[in-house]
Short mmCIF file of all heavy atoms in Angstrom, two decimals:
data_model
loop_
_atom_site.label_atom_id
_atom_site.label_comp_id
_atom_site.label_asym_id
_atom_site.label_seq_id
_atom_site.Cartn_x
_atom_site.Cartn_y
_atom_site.Cartn_z
N VAL L 146 1.36 -13.32 -13.57
CA VAL L 146 0.87 -12.07 -12.98
C VAL L 146 -0.59 -12.23 -12.60
O VAL L 146 -1.43 -12.52 -13.44
CB VAL L 146 1.01 -10.91 -13.99
CG1 VAL L 146 0.59 -9.62 -13.34
CG2 VAL L 146 2.42 -10.82 -14.50
N PHE L 162 1.00 -3.83 -10.92
CA PHE L 162 1.72 -3.37 -12.10
C PHE L 162 2.98 -2.59 -11.71
O PHE L 162 3.95 -2.59 -12.45
CB PHE L 162 0.80 -2.55 -13.01
CG PHE L 162 -0.35 -3.37 -13.54
CD1 PHE L 162 -1.65 -2.88 -13.55
CD2 PHE L 162 -0.13 -4.66 -14.01
CE1 PHE L 162 -2.70 -3.66 -14.02
CE2 PHE L 162 -1.17 -5.44 -14.48
CZ PHE L 162 -2.46 -4.94 -14.48
N LEU L 165 5.63 -5.02 -11.09
CA LEU L 165 6.02 -5.65 -12.34
C LEU L 165 7.04 -4.82 -13.11
O LEU L 165 7.77 -5.34 -13.94
CB LEU L 165 4.76 -5.79 -13.18
CG LEU L 165 4.68 -6.92 -14.18
CD1 LEU L 165 4.85 -8.23 -13.47
CD2 LEU L 165 3.34 -6.87 -14.87
N LEU L 173 5.20 -12.58 -19.70
CA LEU L 173 4.15 -12.54 -18.70
C LEU L 173 3.04 -13.55 -18.99
O LEU L 173 2.64 -13.74 -20.14
CB LEU L 173 3.54 -11.14 -18.61
CG LEU L 173 4.52 -10.01 -18.32
CD1 LEU L 173 3.79 -8.68 -18.27
CD2 LEU L 173 5.27 -10.23 -17.02
N ILE L 174 2.57 -14.19 -17.92
CA ILE L 174 1.42 -15.08 -18.03
C ILE L 174 0.34 -14.48 -17.13
O ILE L 174 0.40 -14.61 -15.92
CB ILE L 174 1.78 -16.49 -17.56
CG1 ILE L 174 2.94 -17.03 -18.39
CG2 ILE L 174 0.58 -17.41 -17.68
CD1 ILE L 174 3.69 -18.12 -17.72
N PRO L 175 -0.63 -13.79 -17.73
CA PRO L 175 -1.60 -13.06 -16.90
C PRO L 175 -2.75 -13.93 -16.42
O PRO L 175 -3.22 -14.81 -17.15
CB PRO L 175 -2.11 -11.97 -17.85
CG PRO L 175 -1.94 -12.55 -19.21
CD PRO L 175 -0.84 -13.55 -19.16
N LYS L 178 -8.73 -10.45 -15.39
CA LYS L 178 -9.06 -9.64 -16.57
C LYS L 178 -8.16 -8.44 -16.76
O LYS L 178 -7.71 -8.14 -17.86
CB LYS L 178 -10.52 -9.18 -16.50
CG LYS L 178 -11.47 -10.30 -16.82
CD LYS L 178 -12.91 -9.88 -16.68
CE LYS L 178 -13.81 -11.10 -16.67
NZ LYS L 178 -15.07 -10.84 -15.99
N ARG L 179 -7.87 -7.76 -15.65
CA ARG L 179 -7.06 -6.55 -15.77
C ARG L 179 -5.65 -6.85 -16.28
O ARG L 179 -5.10 -6.12 -17.09
CB ARG L 179 -6.97 -5.84 -14.41
CG ARG L 179 -8.23 -5.09 -14.07
CD ARG L 179 -8.37 -3.90 -14.97
NE ARG L 179 -9.77 -3.62 -15.22
CZ ARG L 179 -10.34 -2.46 -14.97
NH1 ARG L 179 -9.65 -1.47 -14.49
NH2 ARG L 179 -11.61 -2.29 -15.23
N ALA L 180 -5.08 -7.95 -15.78
CA ALA L 180 -3.73 -8.32 -16.21
C ALA L 180 -3.74 -8.72 -17.68
O ALA L 180 -2.83 -8.39 -18.44
CB ALA L 180 -3.21 -9.46 -15.35
N CYS L 181 -4.80 -9.44 -18.09
CA CYS L 181 -4.89 -9.88 -19.49
C CYS L 181 -5.00 -8.69 -20.42
O CYS L 181 -4.37 -8.64 -21.47
CB CYS L 181 -6.10 -10.79 -19.68
SG CYS L 181 -5.98 -12.32 -18.77
N GLU L 182 -5.83 -7.72 -20.02
CA GLU L 182 -5.98 -6.52 -20.85
C GLU L 182 -4.66 -5.82 -21.02
O GLU L 182 -4.30 -5.37 -22.09
CB GLU L 182 -6.99 -5.56 -20.19
CG GLU L 182 -8.42 -5.89 -20.55
CD GLU L 182 -9.40 -5.22 -19.60
OE1 GLU L 182 -9.04 -4.24 -18.94
OE2 GLU L 182 -10.54 -5.72 -19.53
N LYS L 183 -3.92 -5.76 -19.93
CA LYS L 183 -2.64 -5.06 -19.96
C LYS L 183 -1.64 -5.76 -20.88
O LYS L 183 -0.87 -5.12 -21.57
CB LYS L 183 -2.09 -4.99 -18.53
CG LYS L 183 -0.80 -4.24 -18.46
CD LYS L 183 -0.83 -3.22 -17.36
CE LYS L 183 0.48 -2.52 -17.30
NZ LYS L 183 0.37 -1.13 -16.94
N CYS L 184 -1.66 -7.10 -20.86
CA CYS L 184 -0.70 -7.85 -21.67
C CYS L 184 -1.24 -8.11 -23.06
O CYS L 184 -0.53 -8.65 -23.91
CB CYS L 184 -0.37 -9.18 -21.02
SG CYS L 184 0.21 -9.01 -19.36
N GLY L 185 -2.52 -7.82 -23.28
CA GLY L 185 -3.11 -8.07 -24.58
C GLY L 185 -3.25 -9.54 -24.89
O GLY L 185 -3.09 -9.97 -26.03
N LYS L 186 -3.51 -10.36 -23.85
CA LYS L 186 -3.69 -11.79 -24.10
C LYS L 186 -5.14 -12.18 -23.84
O LYS L 186 -5.94 -11.37 -23.42
CB LYS L 186 -2.75 -12.58 -23.20
CG LYS L 186 -1.32 -12.39 -23.63
CD LYS L 186 -0.41 -13.46 -23.08
CE LYS L 186 0.99 -13.21 -23.57
NZ LYS L 186 2.03 -13.69 -22.73
#
Side-chain angles (χ1 to χ4, degrees):
Chain L
V146 184
F162 297 135
L165 208 59
L173 304 180
I174 302 158
K178 285 177 194 155
R179 283 290 148 124
C181 295
E182 275 163 21
K183 182 131 178 144
C184 305
K186 290 198 179 152

